[in-house]
């Protein structure tokens, strides 16, 4: 797997040790669907943070189990966070739907929901621990059945 490509303007020349806007590193991004199994509260200090969604806890199915893949908060604007809060409240549950260890809370309060929603996420790679690196929320997938979401081969 490659880390990225270097592209430059046709008229640009290379100058040893100098950076230029004419040269760009283009990093590949992976995308796939994930099942939402919960959410974490926003950090203290964020405007309107008390009880608000900070990130969605996501995973995928593997041999009948829902496996945690981390969380995604980047890409969720204030409007999307509010919409998600309304969407998940009727699906609240007491226990984690994830098999094994749930996603790391990093000291945040976690809330669990029935795994009824699918989201599309872009990310740079999978970590050795099986989590997403640099995930970005792209949107809700209303056309996907959560039970068919699996980890896609890279």
């Amino acid at each position: 797997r490659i880390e990225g490509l270097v592209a430059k303007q046709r008229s640009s020349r290379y100058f040893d040790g100098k950076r230029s806007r004419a040269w760009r590193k283009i990093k590949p991004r992976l995308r796939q669907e994930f099942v939402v199994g919960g959410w974490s509260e926003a950090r203290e200090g964020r405007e309107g943070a008390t009880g608000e969604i900070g990130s969605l806890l996501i995973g995928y199915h593997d041999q009948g189990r829902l496996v945690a893949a981390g969380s995604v908060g980047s890409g969720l604007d204030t409007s999307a966070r509010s919409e998600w809060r309304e969407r998940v409240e009727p699906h609240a549950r007491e226990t984690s739907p994830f098999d094994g260890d749930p996603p790391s809370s990093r000291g945040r309060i976690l809330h669990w929901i029935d795994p009824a929603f699918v989201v599309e996420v872009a990310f740079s790679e999978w970590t050795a621990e099986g989590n997403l690196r640099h995930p970005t929320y792209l949107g809700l997938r209303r056309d996907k059945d959560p039970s068919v979401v699996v980890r896609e081969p890279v």
Side-chain angles (χ1 to χ4, degrees), residues 16 39 56 82 104:
D16 189 26
W39 56 279
L56 300 174
S82 183
S104 170

Side-chain angles (χ1 to χ4, degrees), residues 61-82:
H61 288 97
D62 182 29
Q63 299 179 3
R65 307 172 312 134
L66 185 59
V67 179
S71 64
V72 60
S74 180
L76 285 168
D77 60 19
T78 304
S79 174
R81 290 174 198 276
S82 183

Side-chain angles (χ1 to χ4, degrees), residues 21-60:
R21 291 183 184 250
W23 290 72
R24 302 285 177 155
K25 181 177 179 181
I26 303 166
K27 295 181 180 183
R29 298 281 285 166
L30 302 171
R31 320 167 56 129
Q32 83 164 68
E33 292 88 21
F34 292 94
V35 178
V36 179
W39 56 279
S40 67
E41 288 189 17
R43 288 192 175 104
E44 289 284 331
R46 199 182 93 130
E47 187 177 332
T50 307
E52 291 302 314
I53 290 180
S55 62
L56 300 174
L57 307 176
I58 57 176
Y60 58 90

